[in-house]
Amino acid sequence: MERSPLFGANWNNGSNAGSRASNWNNAPSNSNSNISARGVSDDRQSIRRRGYGPSGRPLKLWSAIPCLLRETHIRVCETGRSAAKANIETCARHLLTGRTSNRDAILAKKHRNLIAQIIAPENFERAYRKAAKGRRSAAGYLHFKEQDAALLSKLRRGIQEKTYTPGAPREFWVHEPKPRPISADPFRDRVVQHALCNIIAPIFEAGMMPQSYACRKGRGAHSGAVHTQALIRRMQNATGRRIYALKTDFSKYFYSIQRPTLWKLIDAKVTCKHTRWLIERFTAREGTGVLIGRLTSQLWGGVYGTSIDRFLAQTVKTSAFVRYMDDLVILSPDYRYLHELRSRLGEHCYRTLGLTFSKWNVAPVEAGVNFLGYRIFPGYKLLRKDSVQRARRKIISYTRAGDVNALRKFLAAWIGHAQWADSRNLIESLSRTQRAILEERYVLA
């Protein structure tokens, strides 16, 4: 006759009782109602509390629930129909049937055979639409659109046969808020990157911390600013003390990313060799840095920064922080603690990620937290002064050049950004300028 181990042992077995003991000489049909998952020295009163229920029947205190191995039985406490009992039954049933949430499934396994999903025709059609968004008048899109069906098929075939080679990116410089080089890939390569990220981005985003707000669906700079202000208010109400903010910024974040370290994170989740080959077309395994402007670089920046989030949440044991790529704000009522944490965090980032701080400061939140383009106070948010000055310079520059279309687009975007702050007077001023331009009545003094 088959035997199944009964974990938890018997209460009446003396030294054989307890959560670390098990009986192997019982048939599967033996329910052994005195099996328990408690240690022998735990609440002894629970043994005596058998009694009778309202109906006059004896209370059933212990029952068996099958676990992942069908021959094994886990004994759990059943004092009535409690929520804990229902949760245990649900977990056991999901283990047996294989039913888990999508997020749990993504976090729990390595992903194989992804290339078939990447080169699927419907995925490339979706990637094509994403790459074309906002670029309908660009030369690269117009050239691609003339033979889009044939070119999409050629890209899919090139990836499948491993003959695909990305083109050389076009590089240019932007000087606001500080000079930095930007790389713009050809349109065909942007389509491939969208097709790749459509499949692999959810895999990596499932492992990111909720405090990360950069380049994630449903998040962004505005959501990060709102969450930071809400976090400040909650901490003030909970502690009744002055709250301080540690604000840090990493030096040349994207260009300091250690690719071997990044690839350890990629290999830990993606085991499909063909997908790894495609990733290597845009991100080499050796060297330092990723190009700013690539869609894959945005994803890898978030993945790389997750190590910082996990250090704070799991090692430091704090959740009072918000990170947007390389910008980080940590809140605490303890001024000295934040200075000590800055030293620990700087050492960790340099040792494990090769990152260093370009600047940092600790100040009370009443002075305003300079974060995500806003000065965030407990009761209100204002736009940064240098941001307002750049906006005025652009308005004057576009107007003097007579570029009304560029000015209209800039004002629409700027007003949308300013609406998230307490800047009613500024918005009214810019709105009047925008209305005058739309009515072609704007005259530069």
Side-chain angles (χ1 to χ4, degrees), residues 160-177:
Q160 186 175 15
E161 298 173 356
K162 293 186 177 181
T163 59
Y164 165 75
T165 302
R170 178 176 60 89
E171 295 186 355
F172 58 94
W173 284 77
V174 296
H175 299 276
E176 292 183 358

Side-chain angles (χ1 to χ4, degrees), residues 5-40:
L6 299 176
F7 292 93
N10 296 353
W11 283 99
N12 59 356
N13 278 3
S15 61
N16 192 29
S19 60
R20 292 180 175 82
S22 60
N23 290 338
W24 294 77
N25 58 353
N26 292 315
S29 59
N30 185 359
S31 65
N32 273 12
S33 61
N34 57 357
I35 293 296
S36 168
R38 295 192 176 198
V40 67

